[in-house]
mmCIF file of all heavy atoms in Angstrom:
data_model
loop_
_atom_site.group_PDB
_atom_site.id
_atom_site.type_symbol
_atom_site.label_atom_id
_atom_site.label_comp_id
_atom_site.label_asym_id
_atom_site.label_seq_id
_atom_site.Cartn_x
_atom_site.Cartn_y
_atom_site.Cartn_z
ATOM 1 N N THR L 69 0.170 -4.854 -9.618
ATOM 2 C CA THR L 69 0.313 -4.937 -11.077
ATOM 3 C C THR L 69 1.190 -6.123 -11.457
ATOM 4 O O THR L 69 1.542 -6.958 -10.602
ATOM 5 C CB THR L 69 0.796 -3.588 -11.659
ATOM 6 O OG1 THR L 69 0.697 -3.653 -13.082
ATOM 7 C CG2 THR L 69 2.224 -3.255 -11.256
ATOM 8 N N SER L 111 -13.893 -2.386 -15.381
ATOM 9 C CA SER L 111 -14.822 -1.283 -15.109
ATOM 10 C C SER L 111 -14.194 0.040 -15.535
ATOM 11 O O SER L 111 -14.893 0.956 -15.989
ATOM 12 C CB SER L 111 -15.222 -1.264 -13.637
ATOM 13 O OG SER L 111 -14.085 -1.351 -12.812
ATOM 14 N N THR L 198 -7.097 -5.880 -27.568
ATOM 15 C CA THR L 198 -6.459 -6.114 -26.262
ATOM 16 C C THR L 198 -5.113 -6.824 -26.421
ATOM 17 O O THR L 198 -4.523 -7.244 -25.435
ATOM 18 C CB THR L 198 -7.359 -6.968 -25.328
ATOM 19 O OG1 THR L 198 -7.361 -8.328 -25.789
ATOM 20 C CG2 THR L 198 -8.778 -6.451 -25.271
#
Side-chain angles (χ1 to χ4, degrees):
T69 190
S111 49
T198 73

